[in-house]
Amino acid sequence: MKIQVRTNDSFEYYSQLFTLPLNLIIDSNPDSNPKKLGAGDEINIPGFVSLPYCVKEGDTIWSVANSCKIAPDAIVILNQSANPNALIKGENLIIPKRVITPLINRKMHYDYSTMCTDILSLQNIYPFIKVNSIGESVLGNAIPEIRLGSGDKKININASFHANEWITTSIIMRFLNDYLLALTNWHSINGVFMAPFYQRISLSVVPMVNPDGVDLILNGPPESIRNDVVKINGGSTDFTAWKANIRGVDLNNQFSANWEIEKVRKEPKAPAPRDYPGEAPLTEPEAIAMAALAQNSQFDRLVALHTQGEEFYWGYEGLEPPESAAIANEFERVSGYKAVQYVDSHAGYKDWFIQEFRKPGFTLELGKGINPLPFSQFNSIYHKTLPILIASFYM
């Protein structure tokens, strides 16, 4: 929601007026000087939307504010041309309304376009989040990263490395939405008060690493490459089991953590719907983008969302730091997911992250069943995953 600054207004006053954390207002207005606001400047108030209201007989600013559960001056500031002491019947006012319910609650296939629409909606309501592209997919789709928070602990959470695991995107987007709601409404999630984490953590979310693959499963191939993709798929137009990117390379087998082992033992020796590691590490733009993101950001912790199995992997070749064990124990305790230190697998993003940075990395296998998991499992998966995501903040 945008408001127009009045003489002597301040961010501190807006924080009190709208009952919002001061740092969220400051971060929603990076081009404004928090020490000196200019009268007439337009600024953002996060966590609110403005709605029209038609004045009725007998209405006053105070009665309208009381019915809307908002401070009278919050209405005055949005209606500076109106006379607050003499409202006119039929006059149109703008009323600030606090957002208290999730914007993202989609019970549907979650493709790239849907994700982009949801990111834009979140950015409009919560302008303290920053959205940028870390690179492009094979087909030129921007791979968005969402950042928020100002803390020293840097955490990355990513999803949909594998196309048929697209439900992980909707899981992390819902968590992001719930976190934003908790921040702007001074709420807890699962009994954990979330506001302090904004100052302790710098959160990076890459909700869909493999947009081309996800769209292939949910929407079918673009006509321009239809023949190529059908050929990779063995002549079939059923792409349900497709894990790879659009070129038939498994993005979670693209990293230089014993990649050579996977190259030898993986059955596909050419582009395939799953498991083909490519001709070399980091040949695919999506994997290149994720490697560069980690190198440039120097994350302290990595959480990669996959499906399925209701377990998570937290070690790699003995290179994980000692703190990983304590974090894994907490993840297991709060979720019921099984903690697995080592698996006979290499070349994954988590593997490479641990090898490269010696920092805690985790691959979560959400839900149970056959990929792609049905959206009917969303609520169950979300409620079991949520405690792990929160624990990744406080551990």
Side-chain angles (χ1 to χ4, degrees), residues 40-114:
D41 289 351
E42 192 174 63
I43 67 164
N44 297 306
I45 300 296
F48 278 79
V49 294
S50 55
L51 299 177
Y53 178 84
C54 183
V55 174
K56 301 188 294 291
E57 185 73 37
D59 274 347
T60 66
I61 285 290
W62 293 268
S63 68
V64 173
N66 184 59
S67 67
C68 295
K69 296 180 172 57
I70 195 75
D73 198 38
I75 298 178
V76 172
I77 204 171
L78 281 169
N79 300 274
Q80 295 182 36
S81 62
N83 182 351
N85 298 312
L87 297 182
I88 302 169
K89 180 182 177 181
E91 181 179 16
N92 290 317
L93 297 180
I94 301 172
I95 306 297
K97 180 176 176 59
R98 184 183 292 273
V99 177
I100 60 173
T101 56
L103 300 174
I104 298 173
N105 194 14
R106 297 181 181 272
K107 305 297 183 184
M108 58 183 289
H109 287 173
Y110 205 86
D111 63 9
Y112 179 71
S113 175
T114 302

Side-chain angles (χ1 to χ4, degrees), residues 90 101 133 145 192 297 301 313 330:
T101 56
S133 171
E145 179 205 23
V192 180
S297 301
R301 188 167 301 169
Y313 314 129
E330 181 69 0

Side-chain angles (χ1 to χ4, degrees), residues 60-305:
T60 66
I61 285 290
W62 293 268
S63 68
V64 173
N66 184 59
S67 67
C68 295
K69 296 180 172 57
I70 195 75
D73 198 38
I75 298 178
V76 172
I77 204 171
L78 281 169
N79 300 274
Q80 295 182 36
S81 62
N83 182 351
N85 298 312
L87 297 182
I88 302 169
K89 180 182 177 181
E91 181 179 16
N92 290 317
L93 297 180
I94 301 172
I95 306 297
K97 180 176 176 59
R98 184 183 292 273
V99 177
I100 60 173
T101 56
L103 300 174
I104 298 173
N105 194 14
R106 297 181 181 272
K107 305 297 183 184
M108 58 183 289
H109 287 173
Y110 205 86
D111 63 9
Y112 179 71
S113 175
T114 302
M115 178 195 67
C116 290
T117 298
D118 282 349
I119 290 175
L120 183 59
S121 296
L122 290 178
Q123 196 174 22
N124 286 336
I125 303 297
Y126 307 102
F128 54 88
I129 69 174
K130 308 304 175 191
V131 180
N132 61 84
S133 171
I134 63 168
E136 292 185 348
S137 67
V138 171
L139 295 181
N141 288 311
I143 303 172
E145 179 205 23
I146 304 155
R147 286 189 179 253
L148 69 155
S150 55
D152 292 333
K153 183 191 290 185
K154 294 179 286 187
I155 298 174
N156 173 259
I157 306 175
N158 60 77
S160 289
F161 255 92
H162 289 144
N164 63 351
E165 299 172 6
W166 55 263
I167 197 171
T168 59
T169 295
S170 56
I171 293 290
I172 192 54
M173 289 294 293
R174 178 59 189 268
F175 172 70
L176 179 63
N177 196 170
D178 285 350
Y179 181 39
L180 294 169
L181 278 170
L183 292 175
T184 52
N185 289 281
W186 300 93
H187 285 174
S188 62
I189 303 178
N190 279 18
V192 180
F193 187 53
M194 301 303 291
F197 292 116
Y198 187 81
Q199 292 178 291
R200 297 176 189 169
I201 290 169
S202 293
L203 179 63
S204 158
V205 176
V206 182
M208 190 178 288
V209 177
N210 185 5
D212 301 347
V214 170
D215 275 3
L216 174 64
I217 285 184
L218 297 179
N219 304 323
E223 282 302 318
S224 60
I225 60 168
R226 180 180 179 83
N227 291 339
D228 295 336
V229 177
V230 169
K231 182 178 179 181
I232 292 173
N233 203 36
S236 173
T237 56
D238 179 2
F239 299 101
T240 306
W242 191 283
K243 291 178 67 176
N245 74 348
I246 203 72
R247 281 205 289 239
V249 177
D250 190 321
L251 296 176
N252 208 39
N253 280 315
Q254 265 276 284
F255 296 90
S256 57
N258 288 312
W259 175 88
E260 296 79 7
I261 294 176
E262 296 299 305
K263 176 63 175 176
V264 170
R265 71 181 178 180
K266 287 296 185 184
E267 186 64 31
K269 303 304 179 185
R274 56 176 297 157
D275 298 337
Y276 176 60
E279 288 303 307
L282 298 183
T283 60
E284 302 308 295
E286 301 92 343
I288 292 169
M290 290 300 291
L293 175 66
Q295 293 281 10
N296 294 333
S297 301
Q298 296 291 301
F299 297 120
D300 297 297
R301 188 167 301 169
L302 173 76
V303 180
L305 304 188

